[in-house]
Amino acid sequence: LTLMTDAVFRERYKKLNAAQKEAVDALAGPVMVVAGPETGKTTLLALRIANILRQTDTPADAILALTFTEAGVAAMRKKLLEIMGPRAYEVRVHTFHSFANALIKRYPEAFPRIVGAEHMEDIEQVHIVETVLARERSVLLRPKNNPAYYVLPVINAIRELKREQVSPRAFAKLLAKGADAKSDKTKRSRALAGLYRAYEKELARRRLYDFEDMVGEAVRVLEKNADFKMRVQEEYQYVLADEH
């Protein structure tokens, strides 16, 4: 850091309590900060990044900061600029989804399942679910008086399943275990399982992937491809997650 930005760092560092200073000073190994809202977590994370650059020879672009929303990315970048100056632009700051999508775009050979596919917009996802619902003709999920009633609930359910890394096959297996086959809830869940399977086939046919597929594919590939995982580990020496 420059003399000016180092002075900013020292000034803000002095305002931290003992536990916060301990987190900023920890340069090796895992660190977790448990804190409530509006307690300065983003500032703390930015100060730790600045301290890593002050105390080590780590390149700024070897530091990855992750958060949930684009607003979070903007807030993180702003804090880093205040503390570090222009060098803050070298730090990799992403949402979880944009980071996963960046991996997919930069290393397409590592993602054969969706290589060449495009990320679809929300309106396109609605259209695809409507198409699949009409094709499947599920009375439980497409009532005659309002055929589109369950479109958004189906989308939300599929999103939750994907976030939990539950595939259509795994979901069907879960439903087969100890469920009351005659209950309306089980019947509706089985109808959902069929729609989920048809939805995935439709995405594959159209060469598309959805918002949840970004993180899901990145997780699967990092778990199964040791060489790719090592490549990413070498690229990012520090990974920090805001509001994990």
Side-chain angles (χ1 to χ4, degrees):
L1 303 182
T2 65
L3 288 174
M4 183 184 299
T5 54
D6 194 60
V8 173
F9 172 86
R10 292 177 182 277
E11 178 187 346
R12 298 200 178 186
Y13 180 83
K14 287 178 182 178
K15 297 178 181 179
L16 303 179
N17 61 36
Q20 290 172 325
K21 288 179 179 177
E22 183 181 1
V24 171
D25 292 337
L27 301 181
V31 176
M32 177 183 285
V33 176
V34 181
E38 304 301 323
T39 53
K41 293 185 295 296
T42 301
T43 297
L44 187 66
L45 192 149
L47 285 169
R48 183 165 186 258
I49 290 173
N51 201 34
I52 290 168
L53 296 175
R54 291 173 74 247
Q55 302 288 351
T56 74
D57 59 358
T58 304
D61 62 359
I63 297 175
L64 172 65
L66 296 169
T67 188
F68 276 97
T69 64
E70 291 298 339
V73 168
M76 175 64 63
R77 188 74 72 188
K78 181 181 178 182
K79 295 287 185 184
L80 288 170
L81 281 166
E82 291 170 358
I83 298 167
M84 296 170 49
R87 199 177 180 193
Y89 288 111
E90 298 175 33
V91 178
R92 307 289 183 90
V93 184
H94 284 279
T95 65
F96 288 93
H97 286 88
S98 72
F99 173 63
N101 205 34
L103 290 179
I104 293 168
K105 295 295 185 183
R106 284 167 54 204
Y107 304 108
E109 71 281 358
F111 298 89
R113 195 178 80 86
I114 59 173
V115 66
E118 294 293 328
H119 169 236
M120 68 177 173
E121 301 298 329
D122 289 346
I123 188 66
E124 194 168 11
Q125 185 178 36
V126 170
H127 176 67
I128 288 173
V129 170
E130 287 177 339
T131 300
V132 171
L133 273 168
R135 187 187 302 153
E136 295 294 306
R137 297 181 180 179
S138 170
V139 177
L140 289 170
L141 295 179
R142 196 169 185 269
K144 289 182 179 180
N145 59 330
N146 191 352
Y149 183 80
Y150 283 109
V151 169
L152 292 182
V154 164
I155 289 173
N156 289 332
I158 289 174
R159 285 175 176 170
E160 287 299 319
L161 287 165
K162 288 194 173 190
R163 285 170 189 161
E164 296 298 326
Q165 298 289 302
V166 179
S167 67
R169 180 180 294 181
F171 186 41
K173 285 183 178 179
L174 286 171
L175 292 174
K177 293 181 179 179
D180 180 0
K182 295 182 179 180
S183 72
D184 288 342
K185 183 177 180 180
T186 299
K187 290 177 181 178
R188 190 171 284 110
S189 294
R190 286 180 174 169
L192 173 63
L195 287 169
Y196 185 14
R197 184 169 55 251
Y199 170 81
E200 290 291 89
K201 287 182 179 178
E202 188 65 20
L203 292 195
R205 188 183 72 81
R206 299 190 187 201
R207 303 298 298 147
L208 295 170
Y209 60 92
D210 62 26
F211 199 61
E212 279 62 44
D213 283 333
M214 291 182 192
V215 173
E217 280 299 301
V219 169
R220 279 190 286 273
V221 173
L222 286 167
E223 285 179 340
K224 294 179 180 179
N225 189 330
D227 289 339
F228 179 67
K229 181 180 178 181
M230 187 177 297
R231 189 175 182 178
V232 175
Q233 286 175 327
E234 289 175 350
E235 186 172 353
Y236 301 105
Q237 297 173 29
Y238 285 88
V239 180
L240 302 96
D242 193 16
E243 295 201 23
H244 173 66

